[in-house]
Amino acid sequence: MGKTAGRARFARIGIAVAVLVVLAGIGVALAATVGGLAPAEGSNALVVEEPTTRPQDTLEAEPEASTDAAAEETSAEEDVPPAPTPSTTGALKVVGAQLTDAAGEPVQLRGVSTHGLAWYPQYVNQEFFTELREVWGANVVRLATYSAEEGGYALETSERAALNDLVVRGVQYAQAADLYAVVDWHTLSDANPLTNQWAAEEFFRSVSGALGDADNVIYEICNEPNGSTSWADIKAYAEAVIPIIRANDPDAVIVVGTPTWSQDLAAAAADPLPDANVMYALHFYAATHEDDLRHALSTAVAGGLPVFVTEFGICEASGAGEIDYASANLWVRLMNELDVSYICWNLSNKDETAALFKPGCAKTSGFTLDDLTDEGLWLVDTLKSPGFSREEVALARAEVKDNSAGAQMLVSADDTLQWMFQVADRWEEGGRTFFRYEMAASNYSAGVKSWSVVVPFNGEVTLDDAWNCQAEASGTRLAITNDAHNGNVPAGAFVRDVGFIVSGPADLAVVEYE
């Protein structure tokens, strides 16, 4: 649903319009000024001590924000502890409803899934898997082997050995990168895992035989059973496949899909498998699956069912369509609260919303923020990826303010001062574009003795002039503080006749981010 509205540092546009009306009413309009690098003749810094009503108090009262609305105005910003890894946590197990370490302490895995390995094998490489751990901050990668699609294991007899080898190497790459790995049998178009049970048995006999000693491997035996597939069908399939894995890897965690594209947790909770080291898959796409499915997750975990979200996206269930950041952030918040592990779909440059890389990106490692799609940027932001600057991620995800002459914007708002900016003029000179900004503030709280505001831009900015303030440009940011004679702003007063001129690229504009 586009960019998430109303970030914490910025007020709604309705408030901005109200501020402009109030400022204009007391003669503090931000009139456009033409030409030159000097402020208009007679410009003086003024603090106008004329109490006024806070603009939002003049608007119709809004109802209290709901939980969902509050989540829409914030990202999933909770601090997440350092991720457990195979080298620190070792082999995992299931205790009650929780994935745990050997001592029974809760463990949460957070990471990414490949797309079908038959179509996008290039991302399975040591350099990139190390990057996933060290740069992205993931601690798990899922290796998706389709069963019945073109190139799928059950259809292409000539490709089976290559797919087996790629999965085994993928787990080994993950182990070397200190990542857990989920080996996924990607049931989808075949709907019922019983359809190709013979192929699944062959696949898991081979890969578990090669990986039985690996402490980092988890087996997901059926991705998304669907159509008329019942839990009884899935359970019968699991009771045939799980013993094959257990013969080679008796202690591995195994994840079993649930009916209706791995959404019907209640069916599994009513009749769970007897194996205590089994978890049950839940899949969601945030723009399609919202409160009802979140409630189902909470209910299942509260009832003691161990759940692993082995696949999710933040767009529609088709993998395309709009992104719903508000719903995605609610999902992340809930999974973090429940210590439920989650894996984002997908590592590919496919031309779809759910792909993490842009369609034109041919890289297989060494990714930058410019290579990532909107979902990719959301993911590294959510993972608080250590290899990406938080500010650069925020800027990459930011909304750019209108930079046309005459454009007005609320640049910064807090409990005390609200700063309105206007692009009073813009012009070209010497191959650069100059922007003259004029600014005014309203104080709706207690009086202050000094003030400051930091203005973020979407590119490198050069300060060319400033009046009635102290200003300093650094990279993409402009820090502005009061002058000696206009720092004292009583409650209810306004600051006016402050401004600056900056230059930069033609698309230079103020951005909004947290």
Side-chain angles (χ1 to χ4, degrees):
M1 295 186 179
K3 296 291 184 183
T4 302
R7 294 189 174 93
R9 291 183 58 197
F10 300 88
R12 294 177 181 151
I13 188 66
I15 297 175
V17 172
V19 173
L20 285 172
V21 171
V22 172
L23 293 180
I26 66 166
V28 193
L30 298 175
T33 307
V34 181
L37 292 179
E41 184 178 354
S43 175
N44 293 298
L46 294 177
V47 175
V48 182
E49 297 187 34
E50 181 174 337
T52 186
T53 305
R54 188 179 179 93
Q56 47 266 57
D57 294 337
T58 69
L59 303 177
E60 183 178 348
E62 296 182 4
E64 289 188 10
S66 65
T67 302
D68 278 15
E72 185 174 354
E73 296 197 4
T74 59
S75 63
E77 73 283 352
E78 291 84 357
D79 289 333
V80 180
T85 62
S87 66
T88 60
T89 310
L92 305 177
K93 64 179 182 177
V94 181
V95 177
Q98 186 63 57
L99 183 65
T100 77
D101 62 15
E105 293 297 318
V107 166
Q108 186 188 39
L109 304 185
R110 303 179 305 138
V112 291
S113 176
T114 69
H115 205 303
L117 293 180
W119 310 321
Y120 297 97
Q122 65 267 36
Y123 301 106
V124 181
N125 66 77
Q126 187 64 71
E127 187 175 6
F128 179 48
F129 279 21
T130 301
E131 186 177 324
L132 284 176
R133 176 74 196 98
E134 296 179 357
V135 179
W136 293 46
N139 62 350
V140 62
V141 62
R142 178 181 186 236
L143 304 166
T145 303
Y146 276 80
S147 51
E149 277 66 27
E150 180 182 354
Y153 189 96
L155 297 183
E156 302 292 342
T157 56
S158 62
E159 299 299 322
R160 288 176 191 162
L163 285 170
N164 278 351
D165 179 62
L166 186 60
V167 169
V168 170
R169 282 190 288 114
V171 173
Q172 293 169 343
Y173 293 152
Q175 190 167 38
D178 211 11
L179 291 166
Y180 289 98
V182 174
V183 173
D184 163 41
W185 180 254
H186 208 80
T187 306
L188 190 62
S189 65
D190 41 356
N192 193 320
L194 292 171
T195 302
N196 287 309
Q197 177 179 315
W198 63 272
E201 291 178 0
E202 178 183 303
F203 172 77
F204 283 110
R205 183 176 292 109
S206 173
V207 296
S208 67
L211 300 171
D213 294 331
D215 285 344
N216 69 321
V217 66
I218 295 169
Y219 300 93
E220 182 178 7
I221 64 173
C222 51
N223 166 61
E224 289 183 354
N226 60 80
S228 60
T229 304
S230 67
W231 174 245
D233 293 333
I234 298 168
K235 191 174 182 182
Y237 165 83
E239 288 172 340
V241 172
I242 289 175
I244 293 172
I245 298 172
R246 290 278 179 250
N248 294 317
D249 199 341
D251 300 321
V253 172
I254 295 173
V255 183
V256 181
T258 55
T260 318
W261 291 275
S262 285
Q263 294 168 42
D264 189 357
L265 296 174
D271 185 23
L273 289 155
D275 192 317
N277 218 23
V278 163
M279 304 187 79
Y280 301 87
L282 175 68
H283 292 181
F284 71 83
Y285 282 80
T288 300
H289 308 120
E290 302 198 12
D291 286 344
D292 288 350
L293 197 56
R294 284 190 286 267
H295 178 70
L297 172 60
S298 298
T299 300
V301 174
L305 190 73
V307 179
F308 195 138
V309 176
T310 51
E311 180 181 316
F312 80 93
I314 65 174
C315 58
E316 298 171 11
S318 63
E322 294 291 322
I323 287 173
D324 189 336
Y325 292 111
S327 178
N329 293 333
L330 281 171
W331 272 109
V332 170
R333 185 169 295 109
L334 177 62
M335 293 185 292
N336 286 343
E337 289 172 355
L338 299 175
D339 276 326
V340 167
S341 298
Y342 53 88
I343 298 175
C344 187
W345 179 266
N346 65 76
L347 293 171
S348 79
N349 60 356
K350 186 178 180 181
D351 189 9
E352 65 176 10
T353 313
L356 297 177
F357 307 125
K358 292 177 181 177
C361 178
K363 294 179 180 177
T364 59
S365 64
F367 296 97
T368 68
L369 294 179
D370 289 339
D371 301 319
L372 304 184
T373 61
D374 287 341
E375 179 171 290
L377 290 170
W378 175 88
L379 181 63
V380 297
D381 201 8
T382 298
L383 294 177
K384 300 192 185 313
S385 299
F388 296 112
S389 158
R390 305 301 337 121
E391 182 171 318
E392 289 177 358
V393 172
L395 286 169
R397 300 189 64 206
E399 295 179 9
V400 178
K401 301 288 190 180
D402 184 9
N403 68 346
S404 59
Q408 297 164 333
M409 64 202 74
L410 186 61
V411 168
S412 178
D414 55 34
D415 290 336
T416 303
L417 293 179
Q418 294 188 349
W419 282 100
M420 289 301 306
F421 279 42
Q422 180 180 22
V423 184
D425 194 16
R426 58 173 289 169
W427 65 96
E428 304 294 326
E429 186 176 308
R432 294 178 67 81
T433 305
F434 290 79
F435 302 84
R436 176 189 173 101
Y437 284 86
E438 295 191 356
M439 45 193 289
S442 306
N443 185 352
Y444 297 105
S445 187
V448 298
K449 300 296 184 184
S450 63
W451 50 261
S452 64
V453 58
V454 175
V455 187
F457 287 86
N458 64 336
E460 294 283 334
V461 61
T462 299
L463 177 67
D464 293 279
D465 196 9
W467 52 95
N468 297 322
C469 64
Q470 301 295 315
E472 182 178 356
S474 177
T476 61
R477 306 180 71 166
L478 183 68
I480 305 169
T481 57
N482 60 273
D483 229 339
H485 57 284
N486 63 353
N488 185 10
V489 186
F494 294 92
V495 182
R496 71 174 189 181
D497 292 333
V498 180
F500 57 89
I501 294 172
V502 292
S503 59
D507 65 347
L508 184 72
V510 172
V511 298
E512 174 183 326
Y513 69 94
E514 294 186 62

